[in-house]
Amino acid sequence: MTLATETTELDVTLGPRGAQVRAGGGALRVLTQSCDGARVRVAVVPERALLLAGDDVVFRVHVGEGVQLHLQDIAGTIAHDMRGGQARWRFEVDIAADGCLLHEALPWVSAQGSCVERDLILDLAPSAAALLRETIVLGRHGEWPGQLVSRTRVARDGIPVLVEDLHAADLAPARVLDAVYAFGVESPPAPGATRLVTAGGEVIHRVLGDAAHHACAVLDQVWRQTLSEVPNTS
C-alpha cells in the first residue's frame, strides 16, 4: 500500500515583539492559545478521524532559541481497525539553544485490527530542554491490541541519548505504558514507577499497567512536580 504523506509544520521563533508562530498544512490544525513574551501555548486538533489505513501523518515542530512552547493535545489519537492496511505517525521536534518544549499528550490507543509504525524524533541543542508525557493503550476495552511499532530517537547536540524500538508484544501482558521524559529538566523519583537515567543524565519514568487510569495516576504527581521545576511555567 502506498501511503499519502500529510505534513503539518509548526515553527515558533522569538522576534523583537515576542514569540512568533507559523503553522499549517497536513492533517492537524494548530491553534495559538496564548503568547506571553517568549512563552507560547498552542493546541493541536485533528482535521479528521485519525489514524486510518493509508494515513502517513508527520508533525514537524521547531522550537526557536529561547522559546518555551507548551503543546496541548485537544483529542487523543486512535489507530482504528485498518482491515489489513497500515499507517504511519511521525512526530519530529528540534529545539534550539535555551528552548523548551512541554508536551502532555493524551492517550494513544492502538485498537484491534490497527497496524502502525509510530516515531518520535527529538533533536536537542546542548542547552535545550523537553518535558514529554505519553500514554500508549493497547486495545480498547474488551479488544485485542493492534500491531504497533513505536520508535524513539533522541539526540543532544547530534549525539544519541535514547534509541529504542518498542513492539506491542514487548509490553505483554500489560495493556498500558505511561511515560514521562525529562530532558534537561530535574525530575524526582516516583514510587511505583521505573526510573531510567541515561549516561547524559536524561530521565525517563515508566509505568506498565492493565488500565490507563491506574497507570497514569502513578506518574501524574511526577509530571506536576517536574513541570514546577521548569522556569516560567506558571
Side-chain angles (χ1 to χ4, degrees):
M1 172 185 290
T2 300
L3 304 184
T5 303
E6 298 177 273
T7 302
T8 301
E9 303 270 0
L10 171 59
D11 186 4
V12 186
T13 55
L14 196 57
R17 298 184 179 181
Q20 299 176 333
V21 179
R22 291 182 293 273
L28 305 171
R29 180 183 301 177
V30 177
L31 305 173
T32 302
Q33 296 180 307
S34 65
C35 283
D36 180 10
R39 293 182 294 172
V40 179
R41 183 182 293 267
V42 303
V44 181
V45 185
E47 293 278 16
R48 55 176 175 78
L50 295 175
L51 285 167
L52 305 175
D55 285 341
D56 185 4
V57 176
V58 178
F59 186 27
R60 188 171 292 141
V61 178
H62 170 68
V63 181
E65 185 173 348
V67 172
Q68 183 185 99
L69 172 62
H70 199 147
L71 189 60
Q72 180 181 3
D73 284 352
I74 297 299
T77 301
I78 299 177
H80 296 275
D81 186 348
M82 296 175 183
R83 306 182 188 281
Q86 60 184 17
R88 295 193 188 109
W89 177 279
R90 188 177 176 96
F91 183 32
E92 302 176 1
V93 185
D94 72 274
I95 307 176
D98 300 321
C100 179
L101 172 68
L102 310 172
H103 184 212
E104 186 177 13
L106 293 177
W108 167 286
V109 180
S110 181
Q112 183 173 332
S114 62
C115 181
V116 179
E117 293 182 11
R118 180 177 182 265
D119 293 273
L120 168 62
I121 300 172
L122 180 60
D123 189 7
L124 297 148
S127 58
L131 179 59
L132 313 175
R133 176 82 179 271
E134 71 170 12
T135 307
I136 296 175
V137 181
L138 300 175
R140 290 174 290 198
H141 181 70
E143 287 186 340
W144 289 99
Q147 298 180 51
L148 175 66
V149 179
S150 184
R151 293 182 287 256
T152 303
R153 303 288 187 269
V154 182
R156 185 179 287 281
D157 197 23
I159 300 172
V161 297
L162 178 62
V163 177
E164 183 178 57
D165 292 3
L166 281 176
H167 297 249
D170 298 335
L171 305 179
R175 300 289 297 272
V176 177
L177 171 63
D178 192 34
V180 171
Y181 299 88
F183 301 112
V185 181
E186 293 292 332
S187 187
T194 300
R195 187 173 189 263
L196 308 173
V197 182
T198 71
E202 319 287 7
V203 177
I204 301 117
H205 303 276
R206 282 185 173 152
V207 175
L208 287 169
D210 295 324
H213 60 285
H214 289 149
C216 294
V218 175
L219 290 187
D220 283 346
Q221 184 174 358
V222 171
W223 172 264
R224 291 192 296 268
Q225 289 179 339
T226 307
L227 188 62
S228 71
E229 296 294 328
V230 180
N232 302 317
T233 54
S234 59

